[in-house]
Amino acid sequence: MRVTFGLSYNTAHFGADPDGIVEFARHAEECGFESLYLPEHVVLYPGAKVGPFELPPSLPYMDPLDCLSFVAAATRRILLGTAVLLLPYHHPVTLAKRLATVDVLSKGRMRLLTVGLGALPGEARAVGVDFATRGRRADEAIDVLRLLWGGDEDGVGFAGEFFAFDDLCSFPKPYGVARLPIHVGGSSRAAARRAGRRGDGYFPGGALDARERAAQWELARSAAVEAGRDPQALEYTRWGAIDMTEEDVERLAGQGVTRIVVSPAAAEPQARHDELSAFADRFGLRAATAPGGPAHSRAAGVREIFQKSE
């Protein structure tokens, strides 16, 4: 196991210019970053707040899956992710098709889907979803996605609180795998339990202190055990900073983190380009991904170092 590094590109902050998105993604791939994540808001409205922060309604949040499909056509290696896709606001039957399509077109790179519940009641109302039941709806949606991906030409059926169908066939299937990984994002203990019970990984957010973060990760692992799942199979992704140091990475690796996602701080495209280059050089990412290069960079071997010392 090793620590890998991903990037987040938020069109609400960096803009929706297609040339800028392509340049960013290609440079990220050249630098050796493992993955590229996009966030989601389906709609905004005046007065929408996430915690104490009000979101200007004109922020250009692009559809993350459409944007990732666009990125896939312009790149060859970088993995594609969402952080987060608002799962309760998507019907899982159509979503299964969309995700499998992106995975097939990218030749198996739609592998870091991270789902969350959403924090804006008005966003839920806009798509006809009861805000209070979105957690149960998300749980069912995860089950439906996996059922459809795993089904064959005989079809599959489901009877739940929110979704019900008989004898459905969903093709194409994900590229070379039985199902796509589904990571769970969030900053609550309910999200941690969902990650353990149903997820392939946990990607916590929010302004949590160290004690609460540790408690949530342990809760995810214990929930996996209670559900008869292997807690060692859970991936643990955390946010980092573009200026983080090797000591910062070692600290996170010591907490069990397997992936760190950072975002540029600069507003100007060339400055963002330089930030990515500096990060890649600091951690030897280019050498780690170059043909014939070492299997792991200095930072990528951090988790192995911790395992040997345990």
Side-chain angles (χ1 to χ4, degrees):
M1 297 179 68
R2 60 191 181 98
V3 174
T4 57
F5 294 99
L7 280 169
S8 175
Y9 187 94
N10 191 337
T11 60
H13 298 157
F14 301 142
D17 173 58
D19 294 333
I21 294 170
V22 166
E23 193 282 331
F24 184 93
R26 285 176 172 167
H27 185 57
E29 187 168 76
E30 292 167 0
C31 284
F33 285 93
E34 174 224 31
S35 46
L36 179 66
Y37 287 79
L38 269 80
E40 178 178 46
H41 275 294
V42 179
V43 291
L44 295 177
Y45 48 91
K49 288 185 176 181
V50 176
F53 302 104
E54 185 167 336
L55 299 175
S58 60
L59 291 176
Y61 280 96
M62 300 185 80
D63 181 279
L65 299 186
D66 289 341
C67 193
L68 289 171
S69 183
F70 177 75
V71 164
T75 56
R76 296 187 302 169
R77 178 193 57 80
I78 200 161
L79 297 182
L80 310 172
T82 58
V84 296
L85 184 91
L86 303 178
L87 184 57
Y89 307 155
H90 294 267
H91 197 292
V93 173
T94 54
L95 184 60
K97 171 83 73 174
R98 293 184 68 199
L99 288 164
T101 297
V102 177
D103 194 56
V104 169
L105 292 177
S106 65
K107 297 184 178 180
R109 291 190 279 144
M110 186 67 245
R111 299 301 165 89
L112 291 173
L113 171 72
T114 306
V115 300
L117 300 188
L120 302 178
E123 197 168 19
R125 287 194 299 271
V127 294
V129 169
D130 178 5
F131 189 74
T133 64
R134 69 198 193 286
R136 300 200 306 274
R137 189 181 183 96
D139 288 343
E140 275 194 20
I142 292 173
D143 295 342
V144 169
L145 289 171
R146 289 175 172 155
L147 182 67
L148 289 169
W149 288 331
D152 57 21
E153 60 271 18
D154 292 328
V156 294
F158 187 86
E161 180 182 0
F162 303 98
F163 309 107
F165 51 83
D166 295 306
D167 304 326
L168 291 190
C169 304
S170 184
F171 289 85
K173 300 301 182 185
Y175 187 83
V177 295
R179 70 184 197 187
L180 297 178
I182 300 175
H183 297 230
V184 174
S187 55
S188 67
R189 298 199 173 195
R193 284 190 291 270
R194 180 171 293 108
R197 292 169 181 169
R198 282 182 165 83
D200 296 289
Y202 187 38
F203 189 168
L208 306 176
D209 60 32
R211 178 176 296 181
E212 178 61 19
R213 288 196 184 280
Q216 288 191 13
W217 178 232
E218 183 54 38
L219 180 58
R221 291 169 57 83
S222 62
V225 172
E226 292 169 3
R229 309 177 73 218
D230 180 9
Q232 299 299 326
L234 283 177
E235 295 190 43
Y236 188 22
T237 304
R238 287 271 295 276
W239 292 105
I242 195 69
D243 60 351
M244 66 193 307
T245 65
E246 288 188 26
E247 289 73 23
D248 296 326
V249 173
E250 290 172 359
R251 175 178 52 82
L252 289 175
Q255 297 169 16
V257 172
T258 53
R259 179 179 295 102
I260 298 171
V261 179
V262 301
S263 181
E268 196 274 323
Q270 184 58 51
R272 291 198 295 267
H273 184 284
D274 294 343
E275 284 182 322
L276 267 59
S277 296
F279 190 100
D281 291 342
R282 186 158 67 252
F283 292 106
L285 302 188
R286 299 177 202 264
T289 57
H296 308 308
S297 69
R298 181 170 45 179
V302 166
R303 185 165 178 81
E304 294 174 321
I305 292 171
F306 273 90
Q307 286 180 325
K308 291 176 181 177
S309 66
E310 290 174 350

